[in-house]
Amino acid sequence: MIRVLIADDEPMSRAGVRAVLATDPAITVVAEAADGRRAVELVQSHRPQVAVLDVRMPGTGGLEAAAEIRRTVPSTGVVMLTTFGEDEYILRALTEGASGFLTKSGEPEELVAAVRAVADGAAYLSPRVAARVVAHLAAGGAGAGAGRRAVARARVEALTGREREVLGFLGSGFANGQIARRLGLAEGTVKAHVSSILARLGVDNRAAAAVVAHEAGVLPVPSGRPPYEEG
């Protein structure tokens, strides 16, 4: 079972998230919180695989809670939810160590896919969020956007050919086991490649690497299928 904590200050929103996750028999909600401080406490006591956090909550918000969870319980992955869609929240969430980011206006199956991906050690940015991140990174004007894309491509060029191939799948949201099957590699080998990719790109987590992959234009992977298609 994938053990999940939900944190949202609105009871109806928590109930909605719980109902969506209940559609997958492999996911169980072990705790709920109405603010970030309580969410951190419950993560520390329950040690879920995934914490689903609303970005804006009274007191300690989701971004601050994500940073504290990353510091104290790094084995718990974080999926951020927001109704606002401001790009700075997305970028801050990635900086604070979130592995997934969704808007509440997205499709319910995206939430299930995100929880599964993050529990499996992967990153998940919904297509809408990923597109907005890339648009934000290019928002300084055509020249500035082109410059950032060039920088991203240069960073990707520093990777080996195999690492670029792995990055393509990683940026598409595939987990290590799925990448291993598609490339005919051992899962441990893929894990080693991912660690090297993060170090070479100078990023802290898979979600941030996915942003670089999108900006560098190494997506989509032509031969890849969407993650979780296998069931």
Side-chain angles (χ1 to χ4, degrees):
M1 296 294 290
I2 300 172
R3 294 160 48 83
V4 177
L5 170 138
I6 300 169
D8 194 305
D9 60 310
E10 298 181 1
M12 188 172 293
S13 293
R14 292 199 304 273
V17 171
R18 178 188 280 272
V20 170
L21 296 179
T23 63
D24 189 326
I27 297 174
T28 182
V29 176
V30 297
E32 296 184 20
D35 60 70
R37 180 190 60 80
R38 184 59 176 157
V40 172
E41 293 173 350
L42 290 173
V43 166
Q44 291 171 344
S45 59
H46 288 274
R47 303 279 167 159
Q49 285 101 318
V50 181
V52 179
L53 309 179
D54 188 27
V55 167
R56 297 187 66 175
M57 293 182 285
T60 301
L63 296 172
E64 294 80 6
E68 184 66 10
I69 289 169
R70 180 185 181 189
R71 185 181 70 83
T72 60
V73 192
S75 60
T76 296
V78 174
V79 173
M80 305 299 304
L81 290 176
T82 184
T83 58
F84 299 92
E86 289 95 343
D87 300 331
E88 63 266 24
Y89 284 125
I90 301 172
L91 298 174
R92 279 189 61 197
L94 298 180
T95 301
E96 298 296 354
S99 295
F101 200 104
L102 306 171
T103 59
K104 291 182 179 179
S105 59
E107 297 298 325
E109 55 265 28
E110 287 184 358
L111 175 59
V112 174
V115 167
R116 279 182 164 270
V118 172
D120 203 20
Y124 189 95
L125 295 178
S126 71
R128 184 180 308 175
V129 168
R132 196 155 58 234
V133 168
V134 173
H136 177 81
L137 292 172
R148 280 188 289 268
R149 288 191 294 273
V151 169
R153 286 194 292 269
R155 293 166 73 186
V156 169
E157 283 298 318
L159 305 178
T160 67
R162 178 63 85 185
E163 286 171 346
R164 288 195 294 273
E165 196 171 13
V166 170
L167 177 64
F169 282 104
L170 185 157
S172 298
F174 289 89
N176 288 349
Q178 295 170 313
I179 298 172
R181 288 193 293 275
R182 283 159 176 77
L183 297 181
L185 301 172
E187 187 169 348
T189 300
V190 172
K191 183 177 181 180
H193 281 313
V194 170
S195 295
S196 177
I197 288 167
L198 299 185
R200 287 173 180 265
L201 294 181
V203 297
D204 293 330
N205 56 64
R206 296 170 69 108
V211 172
V212 175
H214 279 269
E215 192 175 18
V218 300
L219 303 176
V221 178
S223 61
R225 292 185 297 172
Y228 308 108
E229 185 176 300
E230 298 169 333

